[in-house]
Amino acid sequence: MGTLKKMKLVLAALTFYAVVQVLNLAGILNGYFMVIINRSLIAVIFAVSLNLINGITGQFSLGHMGFAAVGAYVSGTLTTLFFHLNLNHPFDNLGFLAAILLGGLMASLAGFLIGFPSLRLKGDYLAIVTLGFGEIIRTILNNISYVGGPRGLLGIPKFSNFTVIFLFALATIVLIRNLVQSSIGRSMLSIRENELASELVGVDTTRYKVLGFVVGAFFAGIGGGLLAHLLQIAHPTQYGFYASALILIMVYVGGIGSLTGSIIAAFSLTFLTEGLRVGIDWLRDTVGVPIGTEWTMVIYAVLLILIMLFKTEGLMGMREAKILIIKEKEG
Amino acid sequence: MTALLSIQNLTHCFGGLKAVSEFSYEVPEGVIYGLIGPNGSGKTTCFNLITGIYTPTAGKILFNGEEINGLKPFRIVHKGIARTFQNLRIFNNLTVIDNIRVARHFTMKSGIFQTFLRLPSFREEEAKVREEALGLISLMNLSHRATELAKNLPYGELRRLEIARALATKPKLILLDEPAAGMNPKETEDLMKLILRVRDEFKVTIFLIEHHMKFVTGICERVKVIDFGTTIAEGRPEDVVKEPKVLEAYLGRKAVVC
């Protein structure tokens, strides 16, 4: 029984997986819905990993999708341009996994390179550097013709499917949860709470801030790789400021410091984005109101203002759902 | 016998202002020494220099015979100097036990992979630190608060929590910056007993800043009085408070004349 209780999170996740699969096979969830669910799961990876940087360690990154871009282009280049991996080849799936992980590693290297010199900066200044980083990545990608330049990297094989994305999302949640609820995680939290006090109880604050960036960037890179192999394209505009801001809004709407909140917000906002897109199309085409999809960002901005006004801490505040809390022995 | 902490001609300037000037002090092991002086006289700056928050303009700080000025604050903590703050610096959104466990972190060996995978060695270490933290909590009479968020604690308990957190780094020397600030006479008396107990049980040397004269005379073996960064008196507290220069610094010249 004891182990069963410990496995609650995995059980809940498997239930989710089974329900979606059954509904899909029964034809209730069509391909369109599966795409949204897959995108939600990838958004979970982005939001949870950004929460590690912004919510747990208390830094401020505005360029999270820059790390995702590194993961997407590295893995996409490997599978598409280097090795021409093929879906029908059984061993190529392993190649795909290796490419995804390598994409994550390269993203974490980028996290280290950006984090190490810039983490002496605080607050607004750090935000500007990370914003700049995201834009630099986007501009570089725009100008490398080998990976398609402004056209994007096309023809990426569709290795990402629901099962793969689900497993990576689950792994991200479990691993980051394990990190947060550990001595290392508490050191990161203490930096958020009071950096000077943290330093004066012996925490090497620079090291843990960099670590936050490196780990957060790793998972963002994984998410980017999965996204590229889901949409079969990696395009510079997917990873610009707009995209980073969207993830940031998820983290703040969910509750800064709450992984549960990030998961809920990633799902709700991905669905909301789709809903708004459909709604706006309907308004434009059927009712004749002259608006475009860029209005989703306006609605998000309003949403963020409302959250800041009425629920400053976000949906979950700093709380976690019970199944995400590792129980410690009493006594 | 060499002093545990030996401060030699320490000087620190903020721009053109000399906040601390030619400050020297020898703190032997096992004592309770005090540093007093009027507001703005440079006491906290001294502590900030010892703990590495500021790098001194001139002078030397030796701890256990080893020069520590210029080291980063966390490295100085690793060497065995812990402190509390005049205005509490508690990790408000962490529980009481987590506040204390953070201070044990630098002694722990589990790396990121052991942590990610929660390997047995990691769990063992976490369990051990948890035990140690609970021990400290009960010593400070905070057991009933162990899993409460620190921000929900009353002021007096926060003061004790901060001392517990400092002790969790297993220091040889602990610097207390106005530990009795904002406490009523009863709380102050309890705090004095607590500090004496801490000294004896943890074999730790104590160096403190305090305004509260009754507290200082009751607990400190020696004190040093500074004003405008300069030492004006030193000795046993009951003698020091009678010195005209000290009275003058605290009360103004007229008080001496009267």
Side-chain angles (χ1 to χ4, degrees), chain A residues 178 183 193 202 208 328-329, chain B residues 78 93 101 105 116 130:
Chain A
N178 287 356
S183 185
E193 291 296 310
Y208 287 101
E328 293 181 285
K329 276 194 206 88
Chain B
H78 298 186
N93 290 305
R101 282 195 284 189
H105 174 69
F116 269 147
R130 193 181 142 78

Side-chain angles (χ1 to χ4, degrees), chain A residues 11-31:
Chain A
L11 282 180
L14 286 178
T15 313
F16 167 81
Y17 177 77
V19 168
V20 171
Q21 281 294 38
V22 167
L23 289 178
N24 182 29
L25 289 176
I28 298 169
L29 286 176
N30 56 24

Side-chain angles (χ1 to χ4, degrees), chain B residues 72-249:
Chain B
K72 286 199 165 182
F74 74 91
R75 297 232 182 271
I76 292 174
V77 177
H78 298 186
K79 300 247 179 239
I81 301 181
R83 76 173 282 181
T84 64
F85 298 87
Q86 184 178 353
N87 315 308
L88 294 164
R89 284 178 178 271
I90 294 287
F91 306 130
N92 280 323
N93 290 305
L94 300 190
T95 59
V96 167
I97 182 168
D98 284 354
N99 261 275
I100 292 170
R101 282 195 284 189
V102 170
R104 296 293 308 131
H105 174 69
F106 72 89
T107 62
M108 297 173 76
K109 291 184 186 66
S110 297
I112 184 115
F113 291 104
Q114 285 100 312
T115 303
F116 269 147
L117 302 174
R118 296 181 65 76
L119 297 180
S121 64
F122 164 84
R123 290 179 193 216
E124 221 168 84
E125 199 175 32
E126 288 278 322
K128 202 183 107 218
V129 165
R130 193 181 142 78
E131 286 302 308
E132 287 174 353
L134 285 172
L136 267 174
I137 288 174
S138 92
L139 194 87
M140 291 286 157
N141 289 327
L142 289 170
S143 293
H144 57 300
R145 300 286 197 185
T147 54
E148 193 144 352
L149 289 183
K151 65 178 172 192
N152 298 333
L153 264 61
Y155 185 76
E157 291 185 345
L158 287 177
R159 284 261 163 219
R160 296 210 300 273
L161 172 59
E162 212 184 20
I163 295 174
R165 191 179 68 183
L167 284 171
T169 64
K170 297 200 174 154
K172 295 190 200 79
L173 170 71
I174 182 163
L175 309 176
L176 304 173
D177 195 347
E178 297 201 25
M183 287 190 166
N184 63 33
K186 167 84 176 63
E187 286 171 326
T188 308
E189 201 165 301
D190 291 343
L191 181 70
M192 278 164 71
K193 284 182 200 147
L194 179 71
I195 290 176
L196 288 170
R197 225 176 93 203
V198 161
R199 196 252 319 248
D200 298 336
E201 277 185 36
F202 290 83
K203 307 264 178 286
V204 58
T205 307
I206 291 166
F207 185 22
L208 59 88
I209 293 175
E210 192 45 76
H211 271 307
H212 205 291
M213 276 308 155
K214 218 173 146 194
F215 185 89
V216 174
T217 47
I219 197 170
C220 292
E221 294 154 41
R222 274 180 86 81
V223 295
K224 193 176 192 73
V225 191
I226 59 173
D227 191 22
F228 294 113
T230 330
T231 307
I232 56 173
E234 189 183 345
R236 294 195 310 146
E238 48 274 41
D239 301 335
V240 159
V241 292
K242 287 185 200 128
E243 289 216 18
K245 266 189 159 176
V246 176
L247 288 172
E248 195 183 310

Side-chain angles (χ1 to χ4, degrees), chain A residues 105-277:
Chain A
L105 285 176
M106 291 311 282
S108 67
L109 182 67
F112 178 77
L113 292 177
I114 177 87
F116 197 68
S118 58
L119 282 172
R120 293 158 203 276
L121 304 173
K122 291 192 167 80
D124 306 348
Y125 300 100
L126 180 63
I128 289 166
V129 170
T130 53
L131 173 66
F133 162 76
E135 289 305 294
I136 289 168
I137 289 283
R138 194 177 61 82
T139 314
I140 290 175
L141 292 173
N142 246 329
N143 286 289
I144 301 179
S145 51
Y146 180 68
V147 292
R151 206 162 33 93
L153 180 56
L154 302 169
I156 300 173
K158 194 174 183 301
F159 277 108
S160 293
N161 55 39
F162 176 60
T163 307
V164 172
I165 295 173
F166 165 80
L167 287 175
F168 270 109
L170 180 61
T172 306
I173 294 168
V174 170
L175 293 180
I176 291 190
R177 176 204 64 170
N178 287 356
L179 184 66
V180 172
Q181 291 170 41
S182 78
S183 185
I184 294 177
R186 286 189 290 271
S187 298
M188 290 172 159
L189 285 163
S190 76
I191 297 172
R192 174 191 78 190
E193 291 296 310
N194 193 321
E195 192 168 339
L196 186 67
S198 173
E199 182 100 11
L200 284 163
V201 293
V203 176
D204 183 349
T205 51
T206 309
R207 185 174 158 196
Y208 287 101
K209 284 193 276 183
V210 174
L211 186 68
F213 260 86
V214 167
V215 174
F218 175 77
F219 287 106
I222 298 269
L226 292 172
L227 188 63
H229 289 83
L230 175 72
L231 305 176
Q232 297 182 266
I233 177 174
H235 195 274
T237 54
Q238 288 173 318
Y239 303 100
F241 173 66
Y242 179 93
S244 295
L246 212 66
I247 304 299
L248 198 72
I249 291 171
M250 286 175 188
V251 172
Y252 279 88
V253 166
I256 194 84
S258 165
L259 303 184
T260 317
S262 291
I263 296 166
I264 294 171
F267 264 92
S268 345
L269 290 189
T270 309
F271 271 83
L272 181 68
T273 311
E274 255 335 279
L276 287 173
R277 206 172 59 78

